[in-house]
Amino acid sequence: MTIQADIGQSWHDAIIELFELDLSGITGTAGDKYYFTANLMPDNSKVQWKGNIYEPLPIEASGFERTTNGQIPQPELTVANVLGTLASVVNSLDDLLGARVTRRRTLLKYLDTGTSPDSTQEFPDDIFYIARKIAE
């Protein structure tokens, strides 16, 4: 079954939101990426998707809505700085200005350790670049 068919049903697995922070554009180091999500697997293990392990961090994302009036979405991410995970990176790299953030979404069952692993079943990616840090 495809993700479109799953969503069309009266019930479906949880939609899992995954984030990739790509710093290679500002550090010049290929593969300089961080993977994180607000989710854990039902057995409390870390989420794994397409071979990448996503660190669990309290995160809230908003502003991805698309409208027909021509206004471009301006997403906003709020990440809790648990154990200082991102603070040193943010402070050492000019608030991450210009870093690429990709939001990926799929269903729980399609994750690498889900009940029906399938890395091709996902919603279209949302890609944006960090333009400013509002608060720390």
Side-chain angles (χ1 to χ4, degrees), residues 19-82:
F19 295 92
E20 174 186 307
L21 175 63
D22 183 354
L23 303 177
S24 61
I26 57 177
T27 63
T29 304
D32 198 359
K33 297 179 182 178
Y34 291 85
Y35 300 93
F36 53 95
T37 182
N39 304 103
L40 283 171
M41 295 300 292
D43 64 358
N44 285 329
S45 63
K46 293 179 181 179
V47 170
Q48 187 171 341
W49 174 246
K50 296 184 179 185
N52 298 309
I53 297 174
Y54 288 77
E55 292 298 321
L57 285 175
I59 183 170
E60 182 180 312
S62 62
F64 291 95
E65 299 81 16
R66 290 183 170 90
T67 64
T68 57
N69 69 4
Q71 186 169 347
I72 297 173
Q74 295 184 359
E76 191 171 299
L77 296 177
T78 303
V79 180
N81 193 25
V82 179

Side-chain angles (χ1 to χ4, degrees), residues 20 30 41 66 74 77 90-91 94 101 105 130 133-134:
E20 174 186 307
M41 295 300 292
R66 290 183 170 90
Q74 295 184 359
L77 296 177
V90 169
N91 292 329
D94 193 27
V101 178
R105 294 173 299 145
I130 297 176
K133 178 178 77 174
I134 295 173

